[in-house]
Amino acid sequence: MTGKTELSGGPALPQERRVVTAVPGPKSQELMARKQASVAHGIGTVLPVFARRAGGGVLEDVDGNSFIDFGSGIAVTSVGNSAEAVVRRATEQLNDFTHTCAMVVPYEPYVQVCEELAKVTPGDHDKKSALFNSGAEAVENAVKIARAHTGRQAVVVFDHGYHGRTNLTMALTSKNMPYKHSFGPFAPEVYRVPVAYPYRWLTGPENCAEEAAAQAIDQITKQIGPDNVAAIIIEPVLGEGGFIVPATGFLPRIQQFARDNGIVFVADEIQSGFCRTGQWFACEDEGLVPDLITTAKGIAGGLPLAAVTGRADIMDSAHSGGLGGTYGGNPVACAAALGSIETMRELDLPAKARRIEEIMKPRLEQLAEKSDIIGDVRGRGAMLAIELVKPGGKEPNPEATAALAKACHQQGLLVLTTGTYGNVVRFLPPLVIGEELLNEGLDVLEEAVTGL
């Protein structure tokens, strides 16, 4: 019993930063040696420590170091690790059964998750959902559904976009290294157009929305032909591309073009969805109601689950048996999702995300004023980032970015890097993180920036 108590994580875990060994410590180094001997080299590591338990806003490693978590497993554990409702519901389901395959013998939790998705996603139209395992699967199935609905083949995506690691979603993704390098050839009929990236728009952020939309629409019209386009897919906040928030007005213009031409408009909310940006979904910021919305990451408190949700007539375009997968909508993952959504409602996690922004963004902006290597501060809610540049201009500074992340890790703060140019540090704290811990993490970040 004593051992079990010592190993328990979740909200009861002491919410403190604690560095008691070198990072990585001796036990993590031993495990890393075993990993290198048995795990494929292509599975990389951001922070070379091994987790022992996690909860609230901290992650503890096997050496007893406790890190403030500004990563949430890449926006997955938004409700915290081992959230009570997630554990309770998943445990109850584990005790009943772990699998039947929803396509063989269905079960209520699958239906319940789809009902909840119809409630929380934007729009009051009739909706249906299909459940999968990963974000890449969700995007790939959104393309299948759009093609079935329209009878068209072409798919339009955007500069700096990221949509997954399967063959089709690598084609949709704009960044070569590490996602696409040496893995081609890729799926055809994928076309990339400009996105409204305010910080790097050549004529200035004030012109960004109008000019980027005009360029994107012109390219679609001239190079593809709107009548050939099945879907336009975009992240309302671009994740791996660098937490780019498209200039206001760009997304509505693109959606209207899609609507005018019978194109399925797909919002990829895999990283930005489920309360992360201060609303249930980032596309709500400009009142967008997508035809289809893809979700994963934060949906199930850490268990693998993904979904495509959308207009019932579009979702029903695929023939019976055309969608699915052996593990898609696993009953334990569905139970966890119901616990995650329950937690989001009970704790009003959209409001928590907005409060995190109120604390973090001014401090990041103050830090940018004092540092000549922070070129931009951006994001919404608890999806924030700083873009690092070389002093005196906007040339990307990936070297400083890597050094900053390492310095934070050494002092007990887990941060993630991102961006097309590898020069963005992103912040994705659990939405349940305490304010004292949040501010302490920012103290560590500030000290690390100062020390560069």
Side-chain angles (χ1 to χ4, degrees):
M1 291 295 292
T2 302
K4 185 176 180 181
T5 301
E6 289 175 352
L7 287 171
S8 64
L13 193 64
Q15 297 296 291
E16 61 183 15
R17 178 173 64 101
R18 185 174 65 250
V19 181
V20 296
T21 72
V23 178
K27 292 182 180 178
S28 282
Q29 291 181 45
E30 290 176 11
L31 286 166
M32 186 58 70
R34 289 168 57 189
K35 175 183 182 290
Q36 291 171 344
S38 60
V39 178
H41 177 71
I43 305 296
T45 301
V46 171
L47 174 58
V49 304
F50 280 73
R52 179 175 184 245
R53 55 185 183 175
V58 298
L59 186 154
E60 184 181 288
D61 74 7
V62 292
D63 290 289
N65 300 301
S66 179
F67 297 83
I68 298 174
D69 185 4
F70 274 14
S72 298
I74 316 183
V76 169
T77 55
S78 297
V79 296
N81 261 293
S82 279
E84 185 278 330
V86 173
V87 173
R88 168 172 43 84
R89 286 180 179 257
T91 301
E92 290 171 356
Q93 183 59 53
L94 277 166
N95 288 329
D96 289 338
F97 60 91
T98 59
H99 177 75
T100 64
C101 183
M103 300 179 299
V104 176
V105 178
Y107 33 84
E108 186 178 7
Y110 190 115
V111 177
Q112 289 176 299
V113 170
C114 293
E115 290 171 339
E116 289 294 337
L117 286 166
K119 293 176 187 175
V120 300
T121 51
D124 57 5
H125 51 278
D126 290 338
K127 301 173 195 169
K128 290 189 176 183
S129 294
L131 305 183
F132 305 98
N133 299 295
S134 69
E137 274 190 75
V139 173
E140 193 142 334
N141 278 277
V143 171
K144 288 163 60 177
I145 293 164
R147 284 174 168 167
H149 177 71
T150 62
R152 306 170 181 176
Q153 295 183 348
V155 179
V156 172
V157 288
F158 293 82
D159 286 341
H160 308 287
Y162 175 85
H163 300 287
R165 294 175 182 262
T166 61
N167 185 266
L168 175 57
T169 56
M170 280 191 295
L172 302 176
T173 291
S174 64
K175 188 176 179 180
N176 174 53
M177 183 63 81
Y179 306 117
K180 303 170 70 168
H181 180 70
S182 78
F183 296 147
F186 304 113
E189 286 301 304
V190 172
Y191 302 87
R192 197 172 319 283
V193 296
V195 75
Y197 187 167
Y199 179 65
R200 294 197 171 274
W201 198 254
L202 290 177
T203 61
E206 67 279 4
N207 302 314
C208 184
E210 182 178 345
E211 291 181 359
Q215 288 184 24
I217 290 168
D218 183 65
Q219 287 186 25
I220 295 168
T221 302
K222 290 180 178 177
Q223 298 180 21
I224 313 165
D227 291 345
N228 295 314
V229 179
I232 293 176
I233 306 174
I234 191 166
E235 303 157 273
V237 177
L238 284 73
E240 301 301 312
F243 280 30
I244 300 164
V245 181
T248 301
F250 175 79
L251 290 171
R253 179 96 178 268
I254 297 297
Q255 184 184 38
Q256 187 60 53
F257 173 79
R259 185 174 294 143
D260 291 343
N261 290 279
I263 300 168
V264 177
F265 182 79
V266 183
D268 179 343
E269 292 260 15
I270 288 159
Q271 190 163 177
S272 60
F274 284 101
C275 312
R276 175 55 56 182
T277 63
Q279 293 151 313
W280 277 87
F281 295 96
C283 60
E284 295 177 75
D285 186 65
E286 292 191 78
L288 300 183
V289 179
D291 297 313
L292 300 179
I293 185 167
T294 59
T295 54
K297 291 191 182 291
I299 191 174
L303 276 72
L305 188 69
V308 182
T309 302
R311 298 184 181 278
D313 61 320
I314 297 177
M315 290 297 297
D316 281 343
S317 298
H319 55 277
S320 179
L323 304 177
T326 302
Y327 296 107
N330 170 269
V332 181
C334 285
L338 295 172
S340 185
I341 293 169
E342 174 187 327
T343 303
M344 292 172 188
R345 285 200 179 104
E346 287 190 356
L347 299 182
D348 191 3
L349 291 192
K352 295 278 189 182
R354 294 192 295 272
R355 176 59 182 158
I356 288 170
E357 180 181 351
E358 288 176 0
I359 294 170
M360 289 193 73
K361 205 163 192 181
R363 289 200 58 181
L364 294 174
E365 289 169 345
Q366 290 167 11
L367 184 58
E369 289 177 4
K370 295 186 289 185
S371 173
D372 58 2
I373 65 168
I374 299 178
D376 193 27
V377 175
R378 56 179 178 258
R380 294 204 305 269
M383 189 174 181
L384 302 172
I386 53 175
E387 179 165 353
L388 273 59
V389 295
K390 295 183 178 178
K394 293 186 177 183
E395 183 180 350
N397 196 339
E399 298 82 10
T401 306
L404 176 58
K406 184 175 181 179
C408 289
H409 296 165
Q410 293 295 315
Q411 295 302 316
L413 174 65
L414 171 58
V415 297
L416 305 172
T417 60
T418 190
T420 300
Y421 312 107
N423 69 321
V424 175
V425 180
R426 55 178 159 174
F427 308 108
L428 293 160
L431 304 183
V432 296
I433 192 171
E435 292 186 10
E436 184 176 343
L437 203 63
L438 187 66
N439 275 302
E440 184 178 353
L442 290 166
D443 292 341
V444 174
L445 176 69
E446 184 171 351
E447 185 176 339
V449 170
T450 303
L452 289 179

